[in-house]
Amino acid sequence: MTKRYDIIIAGGGMIGASLARAVAPLGMRVAVVEPVLPGAAAQPSFDDRSTALSRASQRAFTAMGLWSAIAESATPIRAIHVSDRGSFGLCRIDAAEQHVQALGYVVVNRVLGQTLLGSLTGDGGPVLYRPARITRVEQTEADVTATVMHSDEGEERLRASLLVAADGARSTVRSAVGIGLEERPYDQVAITGNLATSRPHENVAYERFTVDGPVALLPFTEGRSAFVWTLPPKKAEAAMELGDDDFLTTFQEVFGWRLGRLSRVGKRVAYPLALTRADRLSAGRTVVIGNAAHGLHPVAGQGYNLGMRDVAALADLLAEALEQARDPGSPELLARYAAWRRSDQRKVVGFTDGLVRLFGSERDTARAARGIGMLGLDLLPGAKRAFARHTMGLAGRLPRLSRGVPLR
């Protein structure tokens, strides 16, 4: 027996859960298929790592009615300090200069996940299939059917007008519908965790570029700082093998003493970095969003925020389709979505990839260009404001949720 829905969302991580919550006020029949149970170690979306939410993402959570719960454990970013190790250039962006309370917020993934998943339970919420995975996709002009395999090896078929692939960089749904993926490894590994500092962070986020890769320290809860340290694979492996004290000593040498002495490092997690891009954003009645569509270097903290703008744009178009009694999975709607998102995705991918390449070069001309560029950015109000708006996710055409406007 085939069950009927309006939308099937493949993936119940942060992007999939965010989309399910975003469309909840529309009254559509939604199914979410997620292979990992909440709280499981294999679910990276909701672990103890942190995510930097842009201003646009914070507005979206406000419009969805979730920000008050998230804000209790969110740390505001009131300034961003960018520097290049061994160079004269630096730039500082302040929230006060941009006339906002915060440039963004740092949130623990676990808290964000608990809030999102908690909002999906109860009457009127989506039907959650977990642990379960989609093993087959069949599309016609009229609908799309997903075969779902449960953990007990039982199968059932779900039919809908629209299938959303929000199942991450290794998306099985994206592959099943024939959407290709461009992948370019960065030959870098990101080490993440959090630590204590002898000086208060004062809500400043630091981005420091080094010859091995960028280092970021973000203001975190309880006076701690979250870090992302990017290294070549062999150096990353050696750093992960160090004891806590030796790790802190090595990290201190790279980051410096702006926050005083570093101590009490928490659990460290390492993962390889690559630039990934889907060769198109839809096929038939299937659309790809979030990491299934694009995977970024963490240099500017834009990955999840770019995915949230995918969520907001798709939710906007679905609300419009419902208001006009149109098919939510029509080729016209998905073409409009792709046209809307393509520019933003290309700009953010190009920006982050360009930063990695520019700051990864040790040529004298590149170092001089970086120094002059950062000084110019720091001294020119117009350029700094444009850069800040992109960082906050407020540039370009924004959907309702990204502006803080509820769909209903």
Side-chain angles (χ1 to χ4, degrees), residues 60-264:
F61 283 120
T62 299
M64 290 189 280
L66 300 180
W67 182 245
S68 58
I70 297 171
E72 294 178 2
S73 59
T75 306
I77 299 173
R78 304 203 190 280
I80 299 174
H81 184 284
V82 185
S83 62
D84 184 12
R85 190 182 187 196
S87 172
F88 59 87
L90 60 84
C91 176
R92 182 181 171 102
I93 300 173
D94 289 284
E97 286 182 355
Q98 304 305 319
H99 308 292
V100 295
Q101 289 185 336
L103 299 169
Y105 296 83
V106 182
V107 181
V108 181
N109 289 2
R110 174 176 38 79
V111 173
L112 189 57
Q114 289 172 350
T115 303
L116 280 167
L117 293 179
S119 74
L120 302 183
T121 59
D123 296 338
V127 178
L128 303 177
Y129 293 84
R130 62 186 186 193
R133 54 192 173 88
I134 294 176
T135 59
R136 185 178 179 186
V137 177
E138 302 165 77
Q139 303 198 86
T140 69
E141 290 186 4
D143 53 37
V144 55
T145 301
T147 300
V148 175
M149 174 76 74
H150 297 278
S151 59
D152 60 3
E153 301 303 313
E155 282 190 353
E156 64 181 310
R157 288 160 59 87
L158 311 181
R159 183 173 296 161
S161 297
L162 175 66
L163 172 60
V164 182
D167 50 344
R170 302 300 172 195
S171 171
T172 57
V173 169
R174 182 191 61 221
S175 299
V177 299
I179 297 178
L181 184 72
E182 173 194 352
E183 183 171 10
R184 190 176 74 238
Y186 278 115
D187 196 31
Q188 291 183 335
V189 172
I191 301 175
T192 65
N194 64 80
L195 47 76
T197 60
S198 61
R199 296 177 186 169
H201 55 60
E202 296 182 337
N203 299 99
V204 178
Y206 293 90
E207 186 89 46
R208 185 162 175 76
F209 292 93
T210 77
V211 63
D212 286 328
V215 178
L217 246 68
L218 307 175
F220 202 44
T221 59
E222 300 175 354
R224 297 175 70 82
S225 291
F227 67 83
V228 181
W229 186 10
T230 308
L231 290 166
K234 289 185 178 180
K235 289 187 176 182
E237 183 179 358
M240 287 295 290
E241 291 176 352
L242 293 174
D244 289 352
D245 290 343
D246 289 337
F247 179 87
L248 286 167
T249 298
T250 306
F251 188 80
Q252 184 96 62
E253 291 173 357
V254 174
F255 177 74
W257 295 83
R258 285 188 174 89
L259 291 176
R261 182 170 295 280
L262 309 179
S263 63
R264 303 198 326 255

Side-chain angles (χ1 to χ4, degrees), residues 108 125 320 337:
V108 181
E320 183 181 301
Y337 170 81

Side-chain angles (χ1 to χ4, degrees), residues 223-342:
R224 297 175 70 82
S225 291
F227 67 83
V228 181
W229 186 10
T230 308
L231 290 166
K234 289 185 178 180
K235 289 187 176 182
E237 183 179 358
M240 287 295 290
E241 291 176 352
L242 293 174
D244 289 352
D245 290 343
D246 289 337
F247 179 87
L248 286 167
T249 298
T250 306
F251 188 80
Q252 184 96 62
E253 291 173 357
V254 174
F255 177 74
W257 295 83
R258 285 188 174 89
L259 291 176
R261 182 170 295 280
L262 309 179
S263 63
R264 303 198 326 255
V265 65
K267 179 182 177 182
R268 290 170 261 161
V269 177
Y271 58 96
L273 300 177
L275 171 64
T276 60
R277 286 182 287 195
D279 60 21
R280 51 194 167 129
L281 296 181
S282 67
R285 289 179 168 270
T286 301
V287 63
V288 293
I289 66 173
N291 284 347
H294 41 71
L296 310 181
H297 194 287
V299 59
Q302 292 297 309
Y304 176 68
N305 297 301
L306 184 62
M308 273 300 293
R309 295 200 293 279
D310 292 348
V311 166
L314 183 58
D316 212 318
L317 293 173
L318 290 172
E320 183 181 301
L322 191 65
E323 292 163 1
Q324 299 174 359
R326 293 182 179 177
D327 181 355
S330 69
E332 182 218 7
L333 184 146
L334 298 188
R336 289 176 61 201
Y337 170 81
W340 188 351
R341 295 303 303 140
R342 193 173 292 116

